[in-house]
Amino acid sequence: MKILPLLLTLLLAGCALWAGPDAAPRPLAPAFGEYRDFQRDLTIRLDGRTVHYRVSLALTPERTRITLLDDDGEAVLSYEQSPGRSEISRTPRLPARLSADALIGDIQLALWPEARLRLTVRPPWRLERLDNTLRLYEGRRLEARVSFQGDDPKLTTIPVYNARYDYLMLLVPPGQSAPSPSAPEPD
């Protein structure tokens, strides 16, 4: 009887080795580095449907607060980061297929200064910039791509394609309507 638990432990350990290493967690950016308080409308297209949110950002040199609000003004996702602490919480009202980490990371990828993003990107992650497009890779696999549409991101829609979860997110200045870009081509 004592050999059965030992065999099970060895079997499970072997399975864990065979499965390979887990993916490295996606790096989230450090605090924005400046005082900012603004909102953007957020449209996410996935699985042939569209969901709409309002994203509220309260940023200081040392702290970050990002909140996604539904049409009723209820928080469906929140992220708070301060020195030595980082917390993401979500509610069941956020579709299960949407990764909270990916959404926060994509918002940061689109809105943070590139120099701040690069502070936490370590192998196997890397950022590549080509003209007005910023890509985040894990190893050789594309994670997300941001296509900046103009010189002033405060005035233009910013599309973010998340390749891992296959969704298109549009960050739209309040009061503007979301354009209808075609689905992005995979890299």
Side-chain angles (χ1 to χ4, degrees), residues 42-108:
L42 182 72
T43 300
I44 302 171
R45 297 178 182 147
L46 79 154
D47 296 336
R49 65 180 217 172
T50 303
V51 292
H52 301 279
Y53 299 106
R54 170 72 52 109
V55 61
S56 174
L57 297 103
L59 311 170
T60 72
E62 295 180 346
R63 300 182 191 283
T64 299
R65 178 181 295 146
I66 300 173
T67 308
L68 259 65
L69 306 167
D70 64 12
D71 290 334
D72 298 326
E74 297 292 322
V76 297
L77 173 67
S78 64
Y79 170 68
E80 292 200 32
Q81 177 271 328
S82 59
R85 182 178 157 270
S86 178
E87 181 180 333
I88 296 177
S89 61
R90 65 180 293 150
T91 70
R93 294 180 77 171
L94 184 71
R97 186 153 163 340
L98 290 173
S99 161
D101 290 347
L103 284 172
I104 296 301
D106 290 342
I107 291 167
Q108 290 179 331

Side-chain angles (χ1 to χ4, degrees), residues 125-159:
W125 296 93
R126 72 180 194 283
L127 278 174
E128 288 186 6
R129 159 85 64 180
L130 181 61
D131 299 324
N132 289 333
T133 301
L134 185 61
R135 290 178 174 85
L136 176 67
Y137 290 91
E138 181 185 17
R140 293 180 15 181
R141 186 179 53 126
L142 176 69
E143 173 78 11
R145 177 180 66 230
V146 179
S147 301
F148 297 100
Q149 304 296 304
D151 293 332
D152 190 351
K154 295 177 192 173
L155 303 175
T156 59
T157 296
I158 303 172

